[in-house]
Amino acid sequence: MALSHLAASASRSSSLLKPLSSALSLRRSISGDNSPLTVETSVPFTSHQCEAPSRSVETNPKELLTFFRDMALMRRMEIAADSLYKAKLIRGFCHLYDGQEAVAVGMEAAITKKDCIITAYRDHCTFVSRGGTLLEVFAELMGRQAGCSKGKGGSMHFYKKDSNFYGGHGIVGAQVPLGCGLAFAQKYSKDETVTFALYGDGAANQGQLFEALNISALWDLPAILVCENNHYGMGTAEWRAAKSPAYYKRGDYVPGLKVDGMDALAVKQACKFAKEHALKNGPIILEMDTYRYHGHSMSDPGSTYRTRDEISGVRQERDPIERIRKLILSHDLATEKELKDVEKEVRKEVDDAIAQAKESPMPEPSELFTNVYAKGLGVESFGADRKEVAFLREAMHDYSFLQMEKSFYALSFIAQRSHSSVGTAHPVLIYPGLYWEDSFSTKKEEACA
């Protein structure tokens, strides 16, 4: 039954729906249809030290249509970010997620906002799946005040604490121990929630990952380690970097599951299974077999270590959005035209968000000194003279209120006081790229003026 037929029985007043990112905007009452559908995953799950979940996944028209819209939104958002970067409106590092959208939407469908997610620097779409807005995304990418991190984090440091999304981390693999720490807090609190710690195949050989996994297994923490295996760590193919690229088996004593990461329903089923397992038995590893269409980052063309035929082949055979589109059409849940209309709506939504983000001002210079220390706390430095502790606390409090041009002297003054004797000339770093050398006594007066 086509979408228009399903909507015919609804009243005219309720047949139109507002376009919302949290609910599909197909302009028909079908988006509220929760009649069950059973769909089989594209390929079987492969398990390690556990019994694989069923390939038959329970879903409904509303969920499928939501998957389509959310992934189309993410895809358009990342393509727009590519254009903004090339126009030099986005600077610095920028890692795009197009091709991997099924992991973000499938995972979110299996959990609640009380569960935690922490990831690496390819974080834009995960932030949106946690409830972040397009305005927050584009404003942060362009370094504006309306960004999710007030324009100070940029592409790699998205954050949304109210939805338990803890970033956005630039150091390869460093988010995994933090994720296990979140899982420890969850177990300590007995709140029956879990943490998904995402990392790429390029981080899978990090020692800190195995250390965190070991302690998680010892303490039966509700930690789910998710390896988003897009098969290339920067420009290095997995087989060149890992003797055993079967990442779901890497836990040895920890169970694992290999999942088709280009199938949103398979991801949903795997994450549901993993959450149940983690709450009862402790950690588990999920390997998401996925693929990124862009290079590692915007500085990488992505075509020197893989062929264009390989990329186009994945697009044609495994694209996550096209899979859902075919599923919707095969079950007569919508027409091709109606799905095209959704994509047009998404394009407009993205364009409007970009226009809003451009209107947002840059952060004030004073923002350089916010979110550095917890409010009311300073810094402690223990040396030969223990009196330095009280001195530093007072100095840190004082310099935070100085004008921008004087704050450089204050920083230098504090650093000198910590590392050299009074009155001794000593070079210190007072700001990236700016060095200054002079006596303590002269600059003390200037810094505290």
Side-chain angles (χ1 to χ4, degrees), residues 82-104:
D82 173 287
S83 299
L84 290 169
Y85 193 94
K86 289 172 180 174
K88 297 186 178 180
L89 291 171
I90 297 174
R91 309 304 290 263
F93 294 104
C94 186
H95 305 80
L96 303 181
Y97 201 73
D98 49 319
Q100 301 182 208
E101 299 92 347
V103 177

Side-chain angles (χ1 to χ4, degrees), residues 74-125:
M74 292 173 181
R75 179 72 57 85
R76 184 61 199 168
M77 177 185 76
E78 295 293 68
I79 291 171
D82 173 287
S83 299
L84 290 169
Y85 193 94
K86 289 172 180 174
K88 297 186 178 180
L89 291 171
I90 297 174
R91 309 304 290 263
F93 294 104
C94 186
H95 305 80
L96 303 181
Y97 201 73
D98 49 319
Q100 301 182 208
E101 299 92 347
V103 177
V105 300
M107 182 182 301
E108 198 62 46
I111 62 177
T112 72
K113 292 294 190 293
K114 291 183 179 180
D115 295 305
C116 299
I117 297 179
I118 188 168
T119 188
Y121 37 75
R122 207 177 301 278
D123 57 355
H124 310 163
C125 294

Side-chain angles (χ1 to χ4, degrees), residues 262 291-293 306-320 322-323 326:
M262 306 292 271
Y291 199 84
R292 56 170 164 81
Y293 295 150
R306 56 184 183 174
T307 64
R308 295 190 183 277
D309 287 343
E310 177 185 310
I311 300 169
S312 62
V314 175
R315 282 184 180 274
Q316 292 171 13
E317 300 295 329
R318 300 182 64 209
D319 186 82
E322 293 308 310
R323 280 182 168 180
K326 290 174 182 176

Side-chain angles (χ1 to χ4, degrees), residues 30 36 42 44 70 99 117 126 159 265 276 278 280 341 356 399-400 421 444:
I30 184 63
S42 53
D70 287 351
I117 297 179
T126 309
Y159 184 75
L265 290 171
E276 292 172 356
K280 292 178 182 177
D341 288 342
Q356 282 183 274
Y399 94 76
S400 65
S421 301
K444 176 183 177 181

